[in-house]
Amino acid sequence: MPAASSRTQSENPSTALAIVLEQVRVLLEAGDTPDDALKRRFFDALDRLIREAVQPTRGDTAFQAMVLRHQTAAVREYASLAAHANQDRREVHAAVNTVAHPTKLQRMPTGALRAALTQLQAFAAAEDWHALCVCAEQVLPLAQAEADSAVTRGMDRLSGSPALGRLRRLSVLVSDPLVQRYRSLWDQQGPRAGSAVAMEQGAASQQRGAAVEARAAQALEVLAQRLNAQAENKIPYRVVTSMRASPSLPGNADYAKSEWDAVLLQQTPSDGDTPTFDVCLLIEAKASVDAATTDLPRLLRGLRLLASAQAETTYAFDTHQGRVQLRGSSLKRFAAEDTHVAGSVLYCCDAVADAYPKLLSTATRMQLLSAPGSVAYASSLAGAAPGDRQSLASVWEQLLTSARWDTVRRQYPLLRQVRDLMVHVDDLFMAVNGQSGSDAA
């Protein structure tokens, strides 16, 4: 069970919550009911976490945006419309292109209708939805005058489009000061999805991930070469990357990891012409401990999918190096629900080790904060109000009973398991070369 290592840590609400969550887990798994004293400690720690998160200058801007959305009807409407805005834009652009695509305009005779449709296309490109509506109303009589039934039908559909109506409303809401505050809070989380900066950062992240994967695979190649040199029976080891789970595995593949970044295989004795292999080591590349912690439930489901193999069956797995045949008997060793997978599976990253590892995972912290009860409680803290702690009772109830909160209850064992499986890519290289490790995570 986690324990605070200093007065500072014991006063940290995240650490206090981690300790309470672990005590709740232990009690529930033993069939006991957490008492009122533990409930009060949960309320106290969650209260402090929420108050910390709503601080204007050093708080959690994502949580503050949730609270603002909870408090303000205009912000809620904006958030609802914005969630579907990309689909609405695609629908409106498609409707405009049906009658005013540039290639169609080039084939039209010069005149008032063509000029109006050209303007319609320009407003769509500029995403000026109000001007687009006005222009559509002007195009309609021109199309009717020229008896252009296709353009007439297109303008009728466009003018009555629910998607266009939602985009017009969204453009009005953007000028609301509280909506602008909401957008500003979200912008502080990073560039907006789809923006040039977001795409650039995404590409950089992918490159970094690919580099970690490649380096982990290189370390396995070195290990395979050393094992092959030492193997008395000369059974070769080999490395494959991007190994995709065989579709013929009988287990449930829903939400399970289906692709493994780097895998060490050992060829088995076989009478056939096609070589068969056993899995020796699976490696997953991740950017951080937080990313691995979020991924762990999916990884464990992926292991159970592998373990669903029939022992006497051989399964075909596709990899970047081609198709390989894996023996079901080697996959079944991942069978037990609580299998200790260290030694068979590793998370590999290039992040520097935390000086003080967090006891409350980022995902758990966000689930606690984003619970409706927590958001309602934060809203009740306006001004000098003490806050209505009754709102937090629903969070406590979810913690005790909801299946969706299972990973929250088990977050500390999951964190420990991830730490057990985590290795820095440089340390992996040093290990296979028989060198001393580094201080990286």
Side-chain angles (χ1 to χ4, degrees), residues 222-243:
V222 173
L223 177 59
Q225 292 170 11
R226 295 189 64 180
L227 291 171
N228 286 334
Q230 298 170 6
E232 295 181 0
N233 55 8
K234 302 302 180 184
I235 294 177
Y237 291 82
R238 65 173 297 192
V239 176
V240 295
T241 56
S242 185
M243 188 179 81

Side-chain angles (χ1 to χ4, degrees), residues 14 19 49 87 109 115 188 192 230 251 304 331 335-336 371 395 402 408:
S14 293
I19 294 171
L49 185 74
Q87 177 61 35
Q188 293 178 55
R192 292 182 191 170
Q230 298 170 6
R304 290 195 287 272
L331 301 175
V395 187
S402 174
V408 173

Side-chain angles (χ1 to χ4, degrees), residues 306-312 327-336 339:
L306 297 180
S308 70
Q310 300 296 316
E312 304 304 320
R327 294 198 305 177
S329 56
S330 82
L331 301 175
K332 288 198 72 66
R333 64 195 181 96
F334 301 112
T339 296

